[in-house]
Amino acid sequence: MKFASTDSYIATEDLTVAVNAAVILQRPLLVKGEPGTGKTELARQVAQSLGMPLLEWNVKSTTKAQQGLYEYDAVSRLRDSQLGDERVHDVKNYIRKGKLWQAFDAEERVVLLIDEIDKADIEFPNDLLQELDQMEFFVYETGEMVKARHRPIVIITSNNEKELPDAFLRRCFFHFIRFPEMETLRRIVEVHFPGIKDGLLTAALTQFYELREVPGLKKKPSTSEVLDWLKLLLAEDLGPKDLARDKVSLPRLHGALLKNEQDVHLFERLAFMARGQR
């Protein structure tokens, strides 16, 4: 089985090649790209396309690599020992399996998503090198070696907030999701809004790409934001004429596209300067 576009997810040719190459090489697929370009959704669609369960490990700034393997609850064991609980005699009662252990222990092959790995401490990727490479780890509290029954398909996403270590990068197959071109974005929109009028879609996407090209934007609007914007345009029953504007004025319902006050003020300044030049 190979990954390909689905009825609900448009994957470019280079993305499908990257996914299938990572599967063949049995290496984690490291996916980078602008926020909102579908990195997280990719893992869900790969699982759906290949008919595999999905396990999601959402990384935060406080996440430690050990949590992906297992956590030993020594405090609960101490409390139970003081209360005379019989559970205290089996240390396994106090071992909580992490997402990696769950993936290794699964009865069938799974897709494991490690989402936004760059949010964690810089040592986080290095601490997972052995486990992701050898697909095994040692549990010191029980003395057992946990080995993967089936090698999971590992998809790792990053928003480039931190540089990842070279040793980690060497073990991954890398793919950068470029922002979709107009034609690809049209196909993505038509998946979400089948039957959308061509005139409205053309006018909206033309304006959207013009917006992204404005110099000085702090955050360029992404795919998810243009979908939100189009949903509002359709709900308000707006047409191409309703979107008419000059390139420096704020678009209709701009709160779906511009997500900080600096970018709103940028357009206000550009409009003010344009009026002054008339």
Side-chain angles (χ1 to χ4, degrees):
M1 292 179 65
K2 288 190 174 183
F3 171 69
S5 292
T6 66
D7 292 339
S8 59
Y9 187 84
I10 302 299
T12 57
E13 183 179 355
D14 58 341
L15 179 58
T16 58
V17 167
V19 172
N20 292 316
V23 172
I24 292 170
L25 293 173
Q26 296 188 333
R27 290 188 178 276
L29 174 63
L30 174 61
V31 184
K32 293 186 179 183
E34 288 182 32
T37 49
K39 299 186 296 297
T40 301
E41 184 62 22
L42 171 64
R44 297 168 184 154
Q45 294 298 329
V46 169
Q48 180 180 325
S49 175
L50 300 182
M52 298 179 185
L54 173 68
L55 291 176
E56 295 189 38
W57 184 12
N58 299 302
V59 177
K60 301 178 181 179
S61 59
T62 56
T63 303
K64 302 298 180 186
Q66 180 64 33
Q67 293 171 303
L69 308 180
Y70 68 92
E71 292 183 272
Y72 169 52
D73 193 349
V75 174
S76 292
R77 192 180 189 195
L78 175 61
R79 183 191 61 232
D80 288 349
S81 69
Q82 293 170 340
L83 296 174
D85 194 318
E86 288 298 317
R87 285 166 38 90
V88 76
H89 299 298
D90 187 353
V91 69
K92 290 183 178 180
N93 291 324
Y94 304 94
I95 300 290
R96 185 184 300 114
K97 294 180 180 180
K99 295 296 183 180
L100 247 67
W101 191 336
Q102 293 174 38
F104 288 2
D105 210 30
E107 294 183 358
E108 58 182 312
R109 197 177 189 190
V110 304
V111 175
L112 173 63
L113 168 64
I114 305 177
D115 201 23
E116 298 188 331
I117 193 171
D118 53 323
K119 279 188 175 180
D121 183 86
I122 190 63
E123 291 304 319
F124 181 93
N126 280 333
D127 291 342
L128 290 176
L129 287 179
Q130 177 72 14
E131 290 75 17
L132 291 177
D133 197 32
Q134 300 299 320
M135 288 289 154
E136 64 182 24
F137 63 89
F138 188 72
V139 183
Y140 293 95
E141 289 78 6
T142 63
E144 64 179 310
M145 179 68 78
V146 176
K147 297 185 178 182
R149 295 187 187 183
H150 310 280
R151 193 178 188 99
I153 296 173
V154 181
I155 297 178
I156 303 169
T157 71
S158 169
N159 286 325
N160 251 349
E161 292 183 12
K162 294 189 185 81
E163 286 294 324
L164 299 174
D166 288 345
F168 179 79
L169 295 174
R170 281 198 302 273
R171 288 166 169 81
C172 297
F173 190 94
F174 173 74
H175 182 73
F176 183 85
I177 298 182
R178 294 179 178 84
F179 195 82
E181 297 176 352
M182 174 83 80
E183 189 54 40
T184 303
L185 190 53
R186 290 182 73 96
R187 292 168 58 202
I188 293 170
V189 169
E190 286 164 359
V191 165
H192 291 268
F193 305 110
I196 187 171
K197 292 180 180 179
D198 187 67
L200 173 62
L201 181 54
T202 299
L205 291 187
T206 299
Q207 193 170 129
F208 172 72
Y209 278 98
E210 288 175 353
L211 191 71
R212 281 180 53 87
E213 291 171 3
V214 171
L217 273 185
K218 183 176 181 181
K219 183 192 180 302
K220 294 182 178 182
S222 66
T223 307
S224 60
E225 284 148 356
V226 76
L227 292 175
D228 286 346
W229 187 48
L230 284 165
K231 185 175 182 179
L232 290 174
L233 297 181
L234 291 170
E236 295 290 329
D237 197 24
L238 300 177
K241 292 182 180 178
D242 298 308
L243 301 184
R245 58 181 274 276
D246 56 54
K247 291 186 179 182
V248 295
S249 60
L250 285 165
R252 293 286 292 268
L253 302 166
H254 64 268
L257 298 172
L258 302 176
K259 297 303 178 80
N260 59 69
E261 64 277 15
Q262 293 97 317
D263 288 344
V264 173
H265 291 160
L266 172 63
F267 273 86
E268 291 173 344
R269 289 195 302 272
L270 291 173
F272 178 77
M273 291 168 62
R275 286 195 297 269
Q277 293 171 0
R278 290 172 186 169

